[in-house]
Amino acid sequence: MSTQTLFGLSPGDLASGRPYAERDEREPPWHDKLALRLWHGAAMPLLRKVRARESLGPAFVARVNRHTDEFARADDAQLKLEARRLRARLQREGFGAAVSARCFALVREAATRVLGQRHYDTQLVAGWWLLRGLLVEMATGEGKTFAATLTACTAALAGLPVHVITVNDYLAARDAETMGPLYRFFGLSCAAVVHGMAKPDRRAAYAGDVTYCSNKELAFDYLRDRAALGDQASPLHLAVEGLRDGRARADATVLRGLSFALVDEADSVFIDEARTPLILSATADAGGDREPCERALAIARQMQAPLHFEIERSHLRVRLTEPGRDEIERLDPDDSQAAQAASPREREEGVQRALAALHLYTRDRQYVVIDDKVQIVDESTGRVMADRAWERGLHQMIEAKEGVALTGRRETLARITYQRLFRRYLRLCGMTGTATEVAGEIGRTYGLSVARVPLHRPSQRRVAGARCLPDAAAKWQAVAEAVRRVAVGEQRPVLIGTRTVAASEAVSAVLREQGLAHVVLNAKQDREEAQIVGAAGQAGRVTVATNMAGRGTDVALAPAVAQAGGLHVILTEYHDSARIDRQLMGRCARQGDPGSGEALVAFDDELFITQAPWLTRCLRDWAATRGGGLSGRAIEWLRWTAQGVAEARNREVRMQTLRHDRELARMLAFTGRGE
């Protein structure tokens, strides 16, 4: 199958940037949706197993290995000449198994010479599945970033602008710098797009063959392009403008379109960050916002739950009761000067935001205050989300609560969900360490099938049974005991994973009281993330980290540590998603190294009390009467129930977000694509 047939556009069109390449997104009819749900729910898992046993795995590796000796004997000039020949074949034949295998063998030989690394057979399988448009699950530490170079080089040689998308700027810049020499060996340009880059620099980076960027930078660059192009973004419009004035508004956009995307940590991007839309906004003046915010906060502080309002923590929502509405009228009567400036509904909404700011959004949990600024913390990674703000005045309410300067309210200029954005790529693939749990949703939403790559070496991970302590205080004491046993007694490194900044500081305080040396990594120290995680494998070192420790940076073990038993991971609170827990445990015993892990949780953990309160109370009372705590099976039942409820609710939020985004697009269809 040729590239022309695969994409509907020639490689020359894509490489030149005309037209603005992207897939036309249309809402499928109900019967197609039903068929897709059945396919990805039942038939596709069986097909994946069959395909994995057949040509998509070992047979392709055998094809690659046939070229090993030939390329090993060639000098650098001969390898580069072969790359030029393969470029022509790829553009003519597309990504067939024969030409792709030869290209992979060439890239593997060049990587050995240029980077001093050689792709494992499992990485060849991963790269081939990526090229075939699958979402590849590859265990943590198996070398996803290096495997991606096989796919990116092949697609770039075929003439497709390649976007390698990851979860933050640090990883994008690091991977572009580390892997750049390999691309340049073949005459391919490679650059990274990071926050703060000027528009001409962004355009130059996207004009290259391979561009590394974060999902957020890409999304907002796309929204800015769409805003600049308006309703004149179709290939026909751009072709006509090209004939008329030559440049086709090239100065207005930075991207060349959405041709080929390889998404790293795809479950984080496709699932965890897909609950809220990406909104391009302008900031309005905040001069008049402080007084209404402070008045609403003063009223909210005098109201009592559940008489005046009800808190729905699982939905992160506050509901006013009828007595609550009456209380607002009593505390802020209609004849007051402030009340006359706002309608009753506006006052109620303001008080609801104030109640949410006071009771649902907690400092060092959902946000941190750094340099007198409220910064949102990504719950999935524990990282600060730079330049992000809550909508509809909530961010300003939290700023007023914390007594910092208010930023201006955001006025929406354009918006899109990740679900709609990534489906517009002509060719999409992804990789992650944890995707099996959400394979069905990813298949239905993005049209991607999940395939699991086998381990390069057998795992030596040893995971002890979970323990559930009565409360947080007892849990932190148990963590300290485990640290003393492993880090001090066995001289092994320990990584303690926490869900929030507040939890990381709580366990830090207990360790400090007991004289146990450690280092803390959370959203307040995320600039030192790579250095802290990179040193976490030293003998006896104790690292306390939020969920960010599970993504992107290897924990290299010191020489003596492997003999002592490797890294020990302590999970201190289950996340809403079992995938995040699996990522944390995946920090130990990577690439065949030894390692161990254990879970020390408590009955008052947020997941248990918000998602399974009744079951938590029953099991806590039962454990108290027994005096021996919960069995491993009972803890697993509690975890499975709470995470099941949380994941179902989060999945519904994602579906509602997508439905709302589609509805807005239909309502605004007369202006173009609806962004």
Side-chain angles (χ1 to χ4, degrees), residues 243-295:
L243 290 173
R244 188 173 64 226
D245 57 28
R247 290 191 60 82
R249 282 176 293 176
D251 290 340
T253 62
V254 296
L255 287 159
R256 292 189 282 163
L258 307 178
S259 299
F260 190 106
L262 195 165
V263 183
D264 194 6
E265 307 298 355
D267 65 319
S268 178
V269 176
F270 291 160
I271 299 296
D272 298 327
E273 299 197 35
R275 295 179 60 186
T276 55
L278 283 299
I279 298 175
L280 181 66
S281 60
T283 304
D285 181 27
D289 286 348
R290 181 168 289 279
E291 194 276 332
C293 287
E294 290 180 345
R295 187 179 70 254

Side-chain angles (χ1 to χ4, degrees), residues 143-213:
K144 293 187 293 294
T145 302
F146 189 43
T149 59
L150 295 160
T151 309
C153 277
T154 303
L157 285 172
L160 302 180
V162 177
H163 297 162
V164 183
I165 301 161
T166 188
V167 291
N168 62 55
D169 286 350
Y170 165 74
L171 294 176
R174 182 201 69 180
D175 295 347
E177 180 180 1
T178 304
M179 303 302 166
L182 176 59
Y183 298 117
R184 287 189 285 274
F185 180 87
F186 296 115
L188 301 171
S189 57
C190 174
V193 172
V194 297
H195 183 70
M197 284 180 66
K199 189 174 181 178
D201 296 330
R202 288 175 181 268
R203 186 182 299 115
Y206 285 121
D209 299 296
V210 180
T211 307
Y212 284 81
C213 57

Side-chain angles (χ1 to χ4, degrees), residues 302-489:
Q302 299 178 64
M303 300 175 72
Q304 299 177 359
L307 175 61
H308 298 133
F309 61 93
E310 297 174 349
I311 299 174
E312 298 180 357
R313 294 190 182 277
S314 59
H315 290 87
L316 216 61
R317 183 168 60 195
V318 173
R319 290 185 182 274
L320 287 172
T321 63
E322 283 303 320
R325 292 185 174 88
D326 295 338
E327 185 71 2
I328 293 174
E329 290 294 327
R330 188 184 72 79
L331 296 172
D332 191 17
D334 287 336
D335 57 357
S336 71
Q337 182 178 0
Q340 292 174 4
S343 68
R345 182 173 180 177
E346 288 174 332
R347 282 183 290 155
E348 287 183 7
E349 289 176 349
V351 172
Q352 275 187 292
R353 284 194 294 270
L355 289 168
L358 292 171
H359 299 287
L360 291 177
Y361 291 84
T362 307
R363 184 170 178 168
D364 293 341
R365 187 175 291 271
Q366 285 85 13
Y367 66 92
V368 294
V369 178
I370 301 175
D371 298 331
D372 290 328
K373 292 182 180 179
V374 171
Q375 305 258 29
I376 300 176
V377 175
D378 187 332
E379 183 181 2
S380 300
T381 65
R383 295 183 174 100
V384 166
M385 302 170 73
D387 295 333
R388 296 290 294 273
W390 285 292
E391 289 187 273
R392 302 186 181 94
L394 176 61
H395 201 90
Q396 289 71 28
M397 193 68 71
I398 293 173
E399 289 172 328
K401 180 185 80 169
E402 294 294 342
V404 301
L406 268 61
T407 57
R409 290 202 186 198
R410 305 291 182 95
E411 297 178 353
T412 300
L413 301 178
R415 58 179 282 155
I416 195 170
T417 58
Y418 280 129
Q419 293 96 318
R420 292 181 65 213
L421 170 63
F422 283 107
R423 289 197 306 200
R424 293 182 178 179
Y425 269 94
L426 300 179
R427 197 171 186 91
L428 177 66
C429 61
M431 54 187 182
T432 182
T434 47
T436 304
E437 296 90 338
V438 288
E441 182 178 350
I442 287 175
R444 293 188 299 270
T445 305
Y446 300 94
L448 292 176
S449 299
V450 175
R452 179 181 288 181
V453 176
L455 294 173
H456 173 57
R457 296 189 183 97
S459 175
Q460 296 189 51
R461 184 179 300 121
R462 295 173 288 106
V463 179
R467 292 174 57 196
C468 191
L469 285 303
D471 52 34
K475 176 173 68 175
W476 301 137
Q477 290 299 323
V479 170
E481 292 171 8
V483 168
R484 195 179 304 279
R485 180 186 77 248
V486 178
V488 178

